Amino acid sequence: MNKEILYSVVIPIYNEEDNIPILYEKLVQVFEKIEGNYEIVFVDDGSSDSSWSLLKELHRKNSSVKILKFSRNFGHQTAISAGIDFAHGDAVITMDGDLQDPPELIPSLIEKWKEGYQVVYAVRKARKGESFFKKGVAWFFYRILKLLSEVEIPMDAGDYRLMDKNIAERLKNLKEQYRFIRGLTSWLGFKQTGVEFIREPRYKGEVKYSFWKLIKLALDGIISFSIKPLQVASFVGFIVSIFSFLYAVWAIIYRFALKEIVPGWASAIAIILFLGGIQLITLGIIGEYIGRIYGEVKDRPLYIIEEKYE
């Protein structure tokens, strides 16, 4: 039966009780018009509302619905990874469960896949219902990521994408703890393309990605795919050291050549504080990398499954 599945849709769920029924109906309507068997893999990422009960009801009603429940909240990127691990389709589609990723775009992704592309990512042409601040942060993040990353990661493309089974299988072998799925699929390479769409406002419920979670995701993306922050820290340290040395030489010449005490203790204190700030920032950057090394060497499983129905 698994070999007969052509399409797998992977959806992480975290407290989405208001969105699950309409999302399911939209997906079924889309796949009724597409030839080939499908499965919908929902991953409950430690929801505290009635999401799991709704998912079990959908599974009883439709055998094409496969559901997994984490023992606790392991995070959005990990939930996507778990869904990919359990997907059986020749094409695996990952999307969010808040209806901001419209299911109606799936036929366009499939069309590009049939043309021979192994990864088809959805590019956000516009973002409805989001504040100017959030749009600005997203715009800035993607440009900084493009500047720093050693891998060509598409700008304005989230986790809404279709990947060939070949890509999904290779992605399963990447077991790093700090996951950034859109970066990992780009790192794998192969033939990729994008399809533009307009990102809709969240249908119901609260946004699950807080500002600090977005910052963490951004750090995971940058640090996982670039050592440039370390190089920048070294470069800044080198430049500051040169200026400090030149200042010291000037102070010595001023003192012994002119026989005067060097004025400007306030400026000296300011320089000391500036250098201290640079040192702390550099230590912080190094600490981020070391912390991730520590997380990797523990080699803990990415997630724990409490229940599953396939």
Side-chain angles (χ1 to χ4, degrees):
M1 180 178 177
N2 290 340
K3 293 181 180 179
E4 297 175 355
I5 295 175
L6 188 56
Y7 305 110
S8 297
V9 183
V10 172
I11 307 172
I13 295 294
Y14 181 63
N15 294 336
E16 298 287 2
E17 60 182 0
D18 294 327
N19 295 319
I20 290 173
I22 184 65
L23 173 61
Y24 167 75
E25 293 297 334
K26 283 180 174 289
L27 285 169
V28 170
Q29 290 171 11
V30 166
F31 280 103
E32 283 178 348
K33 301 174 184 178
I34 299 175
E35 185 177 352
N37 293 331
Y38 70 93
E39 66 177 1
I40 306 173
V41 183
F42 288 104
V43 182
D44 186 342
D45 187 21
S47 297
S48 58
D49 61 2
S50 62
S51 293
W52 181 242
S53 299
L54 290 172
L55 294 178
K56 288 196 291 185
E57 183 180 338
L58 292 179
H59 173 73
R60 286 192 294 267
K61 184 169 66 173
N62 185 346
S63 61
S64 295
V65 175
K66 316 296 174 62
I67 56 176
L68 311 173
K69 182 182 181 182
F70 283 171
S71 60
R72 63 170 178 82
N73 179 260
F74 281 89
H76 178 263
Q77 299 292 292
T78 302
I80 293 177
S81 299
I84 294 172
D85 289 345
F86 284 85
H88 301 106
D90 292 336
V92 180
I93 301 162
T94 59
M95 62 187 301
D96 288 342
D98 54 11
L99 290 168
Q100 288 189 284
D101 297 336
E104 293 79 9
L105 187 67
I106 289 176
S108 298
L109 302 179
I110 292 174
E111 182 181 348
K112 288 294 183 181
W113 173 61
K114 289 182 176 179
E115 291 177 9
Y117 292 98
Q118 292 172 284
V119 176
V120 186
Y121 46 84
V123 180
R124 299 160 182 169
K125 185 170 62 175
R127 306 165 70 104
K128 293 184 178 179
E130 295 184 359
S131 66
F132 178 79
F133 174 75
K134 187 172 182 180
K135 290 179 182 177
V137 169
W139 184 91
F140 181 74
F141 162 67
Y142 282 109
R143 273 72 191 168
I144 289 294
L145 184 61
K146 181 178 179 62
L147 178 66
L148 296 179
S149 178
E150 297 162 3
V151 176
E152 188 67 28
I153 300 176
M155 290 193 297
D156 303 317
D159 294 313
Y160 191 14
R161 61 187 58 215
L162 178 151
M163 63 187 76
D164 186 82
K165 186 174 184 178
N166 178 42
I167 301 295
E169 289 298 324
R170 293 172 187 270
L171 196 59
K172 292 177 185 179
N173 295 325
L174 304 179
K175 296 299 183 182
E176 55 196 72
Q177 296 286 325
Y178 299 90
R179 305 186 72 75
F180 188 63
I181 300 298
R182 64 199 78 169
L184 292 174
T185 53
S186 296
W187 179 86
L188 287 171
F190 297 95
K191 193 176 181 181
Q192 305 194 15
T193 190
V195 174
E196 289 188 337
F197 79 109
I198 296 176
R199 186 169 171 84
E200 298 294 331
R202 163 175 274 274
Y203 183 69
K204 286 185 179 180
E206 297 179 355
V207 176
K208 303 305 185 296
Y209 262 108
S210 65
F211 176 75
W212 292 112
K213 285 184 177 180
L214 288 172
I215 293 296
K216 180 183 180 301
L217 180 65
L219 285 174
D220 288 343
I222 292 170
I223 293 176
S224 295
F225 293 94
S226 177
I227 62 168
K228 287 183 181 178
L230 288 173
Q231 295 171 336
V232 169
S234 299
F235 177 76
V236 171
F238 180 72
I239 295 300
V240 170
S241 296
I242 289 176
F243 277 104
S244 299
F245 175 76
L246 293 176
Y247 180 80
V249 171
W250 173 83
I252 292 172
I253 293 174
Y254 195 92
R255 172 67 179 85
F256 290 100
L258 301 179
K259 305 296 184 182
E260 294 182 14
I261 297 176
V262 179
W265 291 107
S267 61
I269 293 297
I271 291 172
I272 291 171
L273 293 176
F274 172 74
L275 293 176
I278 292 294
Q279 290 173 339
L280 290 174
I281 291 172
T282 303
L283 287 174
I285 293 173
I286 295 172
E288 286 290 337
Y289 282 90
I290 293 175
R292 280 160 170 73
I293 294 172
Y294 174 65
E296 297 293 345
V297 299
K298 287 186 290 187
D299 197 27
R300 292 176 181 170
L302 289 175
Y303 52 84
I304 303 294
I305 299 293
E306 181 178 339
E307 291 182 66
K308 66 177 180 179
Y309 298 91
E310 295 185 87

